[in-house]
Amino acid sequence: MRTSDDKKRIKVIIADDQVLFASSLKLVLESDTTGDFAVIGVARDGMECVELLRALIPDVILMDLRMPNMDGVEATRPADAAGGRRARKGARMAMGR
């Protein structure tokens, strides 16, 4: 397992309203033996994801397309704005059912 001295970990936010799926994905990423990933936040909808983005700076957002309150498509607009204010390049992956 690599340490933080060896390389920077990839910071991930997971956004999905299915608690079991989000928890499972978090478990998989955190149990990765390379130590490459750090799940820094989990959101249950797009609004909560946007709030996390205001407080945290992820490298990757794993976001469901269909969620209550604000879906993944709508949440990408404020996510882009939040990321742009911090001048940090980020990747986004949309997951749908």
Side-chain angles (χ1 to χ4, degrees):
M1 178 162 149
R2 297 177 181 167
T3 65
S4 58
D5 296 333
D6 296 331
K7 71 179 241 177
K8 183 181 162 216
R9 296 175 77 192
I10 299 167
K11 294 182 282 186
V12 181
I13 288 179
I14 300 168
D16 197 300
D17 61 315
Q18 299 295 318
V19 176
L20 181 60
F21 181 79
S23 298
S24 298
L25 185 55
K26 180 179 179 190
L27 181 66
V28 168
L29 291 173
E30 289 179 339
S31 64
D32 174 43
T33 58
T34 63
D36 289 338
F37 301 101
V39 177
I40 60 172
V42 179
R44 288 188 168 179
D45 60 38
M47 292 176 78
E48 191 175 339
C49 182
V50 171
E51 290 299 316
L52 285 175
L53 287 168
R54 290 186 179 128
L56 306 171
I57 304 173
D59 297 309
V60 177
I61 305 165
L62 301 176
M63 187 166 4
D64 189 2
L65 291 176
R66 296 184 199 148
M67 295 182 287
N69 301 322
M70 180 187 289
D71 66 27
V73 176
E74 289 178 68
T76 58
R77 290 182 195 97
D80 284 339
R85 282 194 298 274
R86 295 192 171 105
R88 172 100 179 216
K89 292 182 180 177
R92 284 162 197 74
M93 177 186 296
M95 304 177 293
R97 298 187 266 287

